[in-house]
Amino acid sequence: MSTVLHRLVRRLHFYAGVLVAPFLLVAAVTGALYSVSPTVENLVYRAQLHTDSTGSAASLAAQVRAAQAVRPDLHLSGVWPATNPGDTTRVLFDDPSLGASERLAVFIDPVTTQSRGQLVSYGSSGALPLRTWIDRLHRDLHLGDPGRLYSELAASWLWLVALGGLTLWVMQIRKRRRATGRGSLLRGSPGARGRAATVNRHGVIGAWIVVALLFLSATGLTWSTYAGQHVTDLRSTLGWTTPTADASLTGGQAPTGGEHAEHGGHDMGGHSDATVDAVAGIDGAVGIARANGVDGAVEVTVPTDDATAFTVAQRRVPWRASTSSITVDPSRDAVVDLNRFADWPLAAKLSTWGITLHMGLLFGLPNQVLLLTVMLALITLIVLGYRSWWQRRARDARAGTAPARGALRDLPLPLAAGILVVAAAVGWLLPLLGWPLLAFLVIDTVLPRVREAALPKS
């Protein structure tokens, strides 16, 4: 039975490699660009992100008012206070002319309160235009929702191709060890030539990066259209969702704050009285948050009415594992709610760490170099796979002859049925993997029987 399984895995890996590898190649090339985009962004936008001014910083309220003077036509949304000397403060405004999850950022010198420029800021990560352009290239090739299918297809098949390849490599190394007494998963077999050398390099590189590929596949799927929604629903059912701090106030005239997910939901024509009052209390809100351990790089969500509180949330920055948040009412020196990262469910923590690691932010530059290395290795892996496929012409009648079909029908019926059931289940969770996989297995089983039935009987 092991021989039959080997045939099935080999044929599946062959077709998945040939047909899906182009999508994986595009994802790897764009992923390589995205992996270093945080560092490149910091260099390209240094004039906006940093300042050479020295001295005491003005109050955060004064910095925000300076930004409001630059853009009095827009509604204040949030603030990223300067974290270290030499950093600018990022003041965020809702702008109806921008796209979903986009806000206009005015960068203020904390010492002089002078504007250092304006840029569009995307999402909770605060990606600036260059990184946003690369992010969208990686995510959907700038084609919108239809383009997202390419990245979901790549992420859905990546883990199956990686595990299938690892399985074949383990079998091949075992066979070589029995024949020659030599061979290693991470070093391959010395002295290989021709196509064997290509396969050897392909297998060694795959063995080195397989864990990283599985990680990138799993985390990448959380952003996908179909599988991502199923993962979100599953997490919700299991109670693994990310907790949020309650920003509602039960009374009083305290300034308020909330999430900025609905960027277009506020009046964009000017500043409400509540927002003006909130600016006056912003230093107190940040002070209360820091006193309660919500410190370092934070985003302050500014109140827009009297029904909610300030929200101060730790941002995802290098070398910080926690993203706690707090809602406060500075008019009463009161903490409304405290959402400590340490109290999150383990699944929510792992999800946050995984996404931040995938984005190249968790460990800063080393994280980005590691991702870049994995992407370059994956590109090399794909090229070697196609080269191996082409080199088969020296052995077969035509280039790239596929491994023999019909392995599934040669398995015991219960095992074959189990494989089909698993493929159907995967089809629900990962539609762009499961349904093509199920179709492949069914066609690969039925087609040989159809051809046999069509042959003339002697």
Side-chain angles (χ1 to χ4, degrees), residues 37-343:
S37 63
T39 294
V40 175
E41 174 183 82
N42 199 47
L43 295 174
V44 171
Y45 299 112
R46 188 190 184 286
Q48 290 79 29
L49 296 171
H50 303 287
T51 175
D52 296 326
S53 299
T54 58
S56 300
S59 68
L60 188 56
Q63 298 175 50
V64 172
R65 291 192 180 100
Q68 288 179 307
V70 174
R71 294 307 305 255
D73 56 318
L74 300 180
H75 193 284
L76 180 64
S77 173
V79 182
W80 289 18
T83 306
N84 302 305
D87 292 344
T88 57
T89 291
R90 185 181 305 196
V91 184
L92 299 162
F93 295 91
D94 290 319
D95 187 339
S97 68
L98 299 178
S101 299
E102 292 182 338
R103 292 178 287 176
L104 184 71
V106 176
F107 298 86
I108 299 296
D109 185 324
V111 176
T112 67
T113 69
Q114 297 297 308
S115 171
R116 300 281 293 180
Q118 305 175 42
L119 293 169
V120 176
S121 177
Y122 178 80
S124 60
S125 67
L128 299 179
L130 176 62
R131 180 152 62 109
T132 300
W133 188 90
I134 296 174
D135 173 30
R136 288 175 174 161
L137 179 68
H138 180 55
R139 183 176 55 192
D140 60 22
L141 302 178
H142 292 278
L143 297 176
D145 288 339
R148 294 182 67 181
L149 296 178
Y150 113 84
S151 57
E152 181 167 356
L153 183 70
S156 296
W157 279 88
L158 178 57
W159 68 270
L160 185 63
V161 173
L163 288 180
L166 181 64
T167 301
L168 294 174
W169 183 236
V170 168
M171 292 179 176
Q172 184 165 327
I173 288 298
R174 286 181 176 176
K175 182 179 179 181
R176 290 179 182 176
R177 282 178 178 173
R178 286 194 298 266
T180 66
R182 296 188 300 173
S184 166
L185 283 178
L186 301 180
R187 291 182 297 174
S189 299
R193 296 181 180 277
R195 181 175 180 274
T198 303
V199 172
N200 191 70
R201 297 188 189 100
H202 181 83
V204 169
I205 294 173
W208 274 101
I209 67 171
V210 65
V211 174
L213 296 182
L214 295 177
F215 164 79
L216 292 173
S217 173
T219 52
L221 284 170
T222 62
W223 281 294
S224 62
T225 301
Y226 301 108
Q229 184 58 53
H230 290 157
V231 170
T232 298
D233 294 342
L234 182 62
R235 287 182 59 194
S236 179
T237 301
L238 298 174
W240 291 349
T241 53
T242 301
T244 57
D246 182 6
S248 63
L249 294 171
T250 56
Q253 300 298 315
T256 63
E259 300 301 327
H260 51 73
E262 301 291 342
H263 291 165
H266 307 307
D267 173 21
M268 302 297 181
H271 307 295
S272 67
D273 291 339
T275 301
V276 173
D277 292 340
V279 173
I282 195 169
D283 290 279
V286 173
I288 293 172
R290 298 195 188 286
N292 285 273
V294 182
D295 51 13
V298 299
E299 175 175 350
V300 184
T301 301
V302 179
T304 56
D305 56 43
D306 294 329
T308 51
F310 274 98
T311 298
V312 183
Q314 291 178 320
R315 295 190 282 111
R316 294 172 179 171
V317 294
W319 304 104
R320 182 167 69 187
S322 66
T323 51
S324 300
S325 61
I326 188 173
T327 52
V328 299
D329 180 355
S331 68
R332 297 185 290 115
D333 274 349
V335 175
V336 178
D337 191 23
L338 179 58
N339 175 27
R340 291 196 183 278
F341 185 82
D343 299 328

